[in-house]
Every structure is written in C-alpha cells, then in structure tokens.
Amino acid sequence: MQERTLAPGQVIPWHYHSMITDTTYCVEGTVQIEMLSPPERVLLAVGESHVVPANRPHQVTPSGGKTCRFLLIQGVGKYDRHPVDPMTWKV
C-alpha cells in the first residue's frame, strides 16, 4: 500500500499490470481514473474507491484543478508495470 499525492498537471501515466489489481481509495480532492478496453472514466470523491483489474490499461490524475491524495493498494501477486500508448492500444 502506498499513499500518493498528485498536484494539478501531474499524472500516473497509462500502464497496466498483468498479475495484480490497483485499488484506489480517495483521501483528499477528487481522483480521476481513466481506463481502456472499454474506455471509461471514474471520478472518486473522498471516501470512495475503485478497483482496476489486471490487464486493464489506466492512468490516474487529479480532477477539478486541485491536488488529490489517495491510497493505492496493489496485489495480490508479483508486481509488474507495462507502459501503454493509448493511441495504439488494441484489445
């Protein structure tokens, strides 16, 4: 588990994990999670969470022009991270 803070303009860039899930729990601000396959956008308010399953490309940014802070829980399994270009991603 990690605590992360993103200021406006910062991003955890597009990527996916082949073995683990990412669970994001919003602590402050609004967290935006964008996903591919199929395209989807989730906005998390304080106290809300979302699970991105393995093999689903995603990126995380703050929303609303304000800093966001969140807990990132990853597991269970061997950690891996694969960068993705959303313009060329194919299902």
Side-chain angles (χ1 to χ4, degrees):
M1 181 170 80
Q2 305 168 31
E3 182 176 347
R4 296 276 186 98
T5 301
L6 296 176
Q10 290 186 310
V11 61
I12 297 175
W14 288 102
H15 67 284
Y16 72 94
H17 309 283
S18 65
M19 297 185 180
I20 63 171
T21 61
D22 273 0
T23 301
T24 304
Y25 178 85
C26 183
V27 176
E28 176 184 335
T30 303
V31 179
Q32 176 175 270
I33 305 170
E34 293 177 276
M35 294 163 280
L36 300 173
S37 297
E40 181 181 6
R41 180 176 67 138
V42 173
L43 297 174
L44 301 179
V46 174
E48 295 181 328
S49 64
H50 182 78
V51 177
V52 177
N55 295 308
R56 184 147 192 216
H58 58 285
Q59 76 169 358
V60 181
T61 59
S63 181
K66 296 184 179 182
T67 297
C68 68
R69 188 165 52 99
F70 55 95
L71 301 178
L72 180 60
I73 302 117
Q74 295 176 311
V76 171
K78 182 180 177 187
Y79 178 82
D80 63 349
R81 185 178 191 278
H82 304 280
V84 168
D85 178 349
M87 301 305 290
T88 61
W89 175 261
K90 302 227 191 290
V91 178

